[in-house]
Amino acid sequence: MVCTTTLGGTAANVVVANVVHGLMRMTWVPTPVSDEQAFEAIRSGVDALPAGVKMILNSAQFYGMGWSTANLELLSRFYEKYPDYADRTFLMVKGAYNPEKSRVDNAPENIRRSVESCLAALRGTKTIDLFQPARIEKSVPIEETMKALVELKNEGKFNHIGLSECAAATLRRAHAVHPIAIVEIEVSVTSFEEEARKVLATAAQLDVAVAAYSPLCHGLLSGTVTKREDLDPHDMRMHLSRFREGNFQSNLAIAGAIKSIAAKRGCTPAQLCIAWVVSLGNKVLPLPGSTRRERTLENLAAGDISLADEEKSEIAYAMKAYPVKGGRYFDDAEADAILWG
């Protein structure tokens, strides 16, 4: 059985699987996967769903080496080959990246330029169901950003509005301008900061869905990366604070604790982590990545796992006993604070 839920805001009537399929690592890696493998990974999840239930696919303007539109171009080829899947999937796209400035730029003119770039990459094969700025730029008032997004939505460029990496207060201000359908933040047993908890609480109050990305801490918690040598030297994770020498070896402790709890439950460590995120709320949707059919189905099945109170307590104990070393991206919590716009 596949567990389902609905989204928020203007997408409150959209029924989706309660696990999102992240597509980033299909293209934003030194050696992208083949179209055949990527298409099989996408189709397997969609085909496992009951009629009327959509699979959320998470993509971005910049999910390609060199911050390219490679991920959206891959999707355009997928939908061109399998047009029936356009109506069976809900496509959320992060954007507002400005190639000239090499950063997110939420100025209205750049948001428009970003949306047009995403639409061009999709070549008319699929509607953008939800568009979201990838980060909140603090120099641009959120009300101004929302005004630009509403204008583009009303023009039919996309159907719903989302936010990414926003603080709870920002979510509330944005939602007052126009209903937010999904807010995307990082949530895992290694990323459960106070602000993340505030966003979860605010989203629940406003009936906004939360797409919880990196529930497996970029593979650390799933056991797929057990030493730094497992990673390609050009893999972006080599630059993440939690994967750096010293921090990585220390962080294997919580990965080991999760593996032990999962073994007692009879599921994979990845499934345990995904199920834990699901347990945080009805509209909290874990967003793991997958490039292979078997992993897509494993992730989807995790959404149906209901954790016992004792298991939740064991996970909570592990989180306290083995605190993660390193920030979500950078070296310390102060540096990471810039993420919460």
Side-chain angles (χ1 to χ4, degrees):
M1 182 179 75
V2 174
C3 285
T4 65
T5 188
T6 54
L7 302 178
T10 52
N13 64 334
V14 180
V15 181
V16 297
N18 69 344
V19 177
V20 180
H21 188 171
L23 310 180
M24 181 181 75
R25 294 193 62 77
M26 290 182 174
T27 52
W28 206 1
V29 288
T31 305
V33 303
S34 67
D35 280 6
E36 181 181 16
Q37 179 180 326
F39 294 176
E40 183 182 37
I42 295 171
R43 291 177 64 207
S44 63
V46 180
D47 289 344
L49 303 182
V53 178
K54 295 178 183 285
M55 172 67 78
I56 303 178
L57 301 180
N58 183 269
S59 184
Q61 171 195 1
F62 48 83
Y63 278 176
M65 298 301 285
W67 303 78
S68 74
T69 59
N71 204 262
L72 293 171
E73 292 167 28
L74 179 145
L75 280 173
S76 74
R77 298 192 297 273
F78 171 77
Y79 288 118
E80 189 170 55
K81 186 172 183 178
Y82 303 106
D84 292 347
Y85 284 74
D87 290 335
R88 300 171 64 189
T89 52
F90 183 96
L91 177 60
M92 59 185 294
V93 177
K94 287 185 291 296
Y97 177 73
N98 188 329
E100 296 175 2
K101 297 182 178 180
S102 299
R103 63 171 176 82
V104 169
D105 176 3
N106 286 345
E109 61 272 17
N110 187 65
I111 290 179
R112 178 174 291 276
R113 184 163 51 238
S114 169
V115 171
E116 295 292 357
S117 174
C118 293
L119 291 171
L122 287 168
R123 296 186 294 117
T125 58
K126 167 66 176 162
T127 300
I128 295 176
D129 292 295
L130 178 141
F131 184 85
Q132 54 189 145
R135 293 289 186 271
I136 305 300
E137 190 181 12
K138 296 180 181 179
S139 63
V140 181
I142 190 60
E143 290 80 5
E144 186 176 333
T145 298
M146 289 299 297
K147 182 180 177 181
L149 291 168
V150 171
E151 183 176 322
L152 289 162
K153 173 183 173 291
N154 291 341
E155 291 175 15
K157 303 294 186 181
F158 49 82
N159 295 331
H160 308 285
I161 297 173
L163 295 178
S164 180
E165 287 285 7
C166 72
T170 304
L171 172 58
R172 195 174 291 279
R173 286 168 56 196
H175 194 75
V177 177
H178 185 281
I180 300 298
I182 300 176
V183 59
E184 183 178 336
I185 61 171
E186 183 171 358
V187 180
S188 73
V189 298
T190 52
S191 295
F192 202 47
E193 299 88 352
E194 180 182 1
E195 191 60 41
R197 296 193 294 271
K198 288 181 180 179
V199 173
L200 288 169
T202 300
Q205 292 172 4
L206 300 176
D207 198 34
V208 173
V210 176
Y213 78 87
S214 293
L216 311 180
C217 192
H218 305 283
L220 176 69
L221 296 171
S222 67
T224 57
V225 184
T226 59
K227 54 186 183 298
R228 280 171 51 85
E229 290 73 20
D230 290 338
L231 300 176
D232 185 293
H234 301 291
D235 192 305
M236 69 176 69
R237 288 175 290 182
M238 292 293 282
H239 304 289
L240 297 181
S241 178
R242 292 174 182 176
F243 282 80
R244 287 180 183 165
E245 196 69 39
N247 286 349
F248 177 79
Q249 288 80 1
S250 177
N251 292 334
L252 290 176
I254 189 168
I258 291 298
K259 182 178 180 180
S260 177
I261 298 169
K264 289 189 289 184
R265 172 64 195 230
C267 65
T268 68
Q271 287 180 317
L272 184 75
C273 292
I274 291 170
W276 180 81
V277 173
V278 169
S279 75
L280 298 176
N282 181 49
K283 291 190 178 184
V284 181
L285 315 175
L287 196 177
S290 168
T291 63
R292 295 183 288 111
R293 175 184 182 277
E294 54 270 29
R295 182 51 58 83
T296 300
L297 295 177
E298 177 187 325
N299 292 345
L300 193 59
D304 190 37
I305 296 175
S306 180
L307 297 179
D309 289 342
E310 181 180 350
E311 291 168 324
K312 294 178 188 178
S313 295
E314 287 187 75
I315 294 170
Y317 175 81
M319 292 167 69
K320 290 182 179 179
Y322 309 108
V324 67
K325 297 290 183 66
R328 291 198 288 131
Y329 288 90
F330 310 118
D331 285 324
D332 52 50
E334 182 178 353
D336 275 347
I338 67 171
L339 294 171
W340 297 108

